[in-house]
Amino acid sequence: MTDLKKFRLGVLGSGKGSNFVAISDAIAAGKIPAEVGIVLSDVEGAGILEHARARKLPVQFIPPGKFRTKLDEESERAFVAALSAARVDLIVLAGFMRVLKGDFLRAFEGCIVNVHPSLLPSFPGLEAWKQALDHGVKFTGCTVHFVDAGVDSGAIIGQQTVPVLDDDTADSLHQRIHAAEHELYPKCVAAIARRDIFVAGRKVGWKK
Ligand code: GAR
């Protein structure tokens, strides 16, 4: 019998969830051959959980524990357990603001992607759009990449440029980068779900 198992996504976010909405809308429009298995957040009132509930998707808030920038061991175990129970094929970080470490990365090696609001390797870390504006670059953008043990350092899947305008403020630039993310992220997730890309070390390419 044909295997009808759908490619399943586990989505993690800490914020308003606009990238999750873009991905979820792309699934509904038939542009990504996948389904969302679970949506998890480290922030109880996060908008991403509301958006997922409105779409009748399974959601869970998991307290992050005692650290500010990463999950503590108990929390990490709970995230891994929830994602394993949901049988996800790909973990999609959509504004998840904690660095993932050892056991989590080992459990899902090569199966975690993230979107970052700059053209990496420029401006990793927080408020990347502000870093770009302060630096005076003429173009910035967004990057979708695999997650490795570093900060915003994994192999790059796709990038989209955004020009920096003379009268840009941090807010106006951030808004345009966000809009670019909403185009780029669903395309990259679709490419992975369709098995259209290959990974060779740091190089991610399109299969011919
Ligand atoms: C996005 O701009 C994403 O690039 C950023 O958080 C925002 C989440 O927005 N992620 C990072 O900076 C991760 N290093 P959203 O909750 O509306 O999708």
Side-chain angles (χ1 to χ4, degrees):
M1 218 169 101
T2 324
D3 180 13
L4 293 175
K5 182 185 165 294
K6 266 205 171 167
F7 195 85
R8 284 168 70 81
L9 309 179
V11 184
L12 270 59
S14 311
K16 61 185 171 125
S18 66
N19 278 286
F20 162 70
V21 169
I23 288 168
S24 169
D25 287 352
I27 291 174
K31 292 180 183 161
I32 304 177
E35 63 189 348
V36 175
I38 194 157
V39 177
L40 301 175
S41 183
D42 58 326
V43 176
E44 195 160 17
I48 190 169
L49 294 179
E50 290 313 309
H51 286 299
R53 281 193 193 102
R55 286 165 172 73
K56 312 249 182 289
L57 293 168
V59 302
Q60 202 178 325
F61 155 64
I62 301 179
K66 55 183 180 281
F67 302 116
R68 205 172 47 85
T69 57
K70 62 177 186 176
L71 305 171
D72 75 8
E73 275 185 23
E74 190 187 341
S75 176
E76 191 175 76
R77 271 198 298 276
F79 270 89
V80 170
L83 291 162
S84 303
R87 293 172 288 105
V88 301
D89 301 295
L90 183 72
I91 294 165
V92 175
L93 304 185
F96 190 66
M97 300 314 275
R98 285 171 195 271
V99 181
L100 297 171
K101 300 278 183 187
D103 284 349
F104 191 113
L105 294 180
R106 273 188 290 279
F108 301 109
E109 207 185 335
C111 301
I112 312 172
V113 293
N114 181 43
V115 64
H116 181 77
S118 76
L119 295 176
L120 291 171
S122 291
F123 313 127
L126 294 176
E127 300 193 318
W129 62 93
K130 240 170 152 181
Q131 296 184 50
L133 198 61
D134 290 348
H135 196 92
V137 294
K138 302 299 181 197
F139 286 91
T140 183
C142 54
T143 302
V144 174
H145 63 95
F146 284 107
V147 172
D148 65 10
V151 175
D152 303 320
S153 59
I156 291 171
I157 301 164
Q159 294 187 301
Q160 190 156 321
T161 54
V162 173
V164 181
L165 308 178
D166 288 345
D167 59 355
D168 255 332
T169 61
D171 276 352
S172 63
L173 181 57
H174 190 197
Q175 265 183 35
R176 292 205 313 289
I177 293 173
H178 238 130
E181 290 181 342
H182 301 159
E183 290 177 19
L184 180 68
Y185 212 3
K187 280 187 202 157
C188 292
V189 173
I192 295 169
R194 290 200 185 98
R195 280 96 173 159
D196 276 350
I197 59 168
F198 68 87
V199 184
R202 281 204 63 85
K203 190 165 182 272
V204 179
W206 290 78
K207 290 180 189 160
K208 298 256 184 299

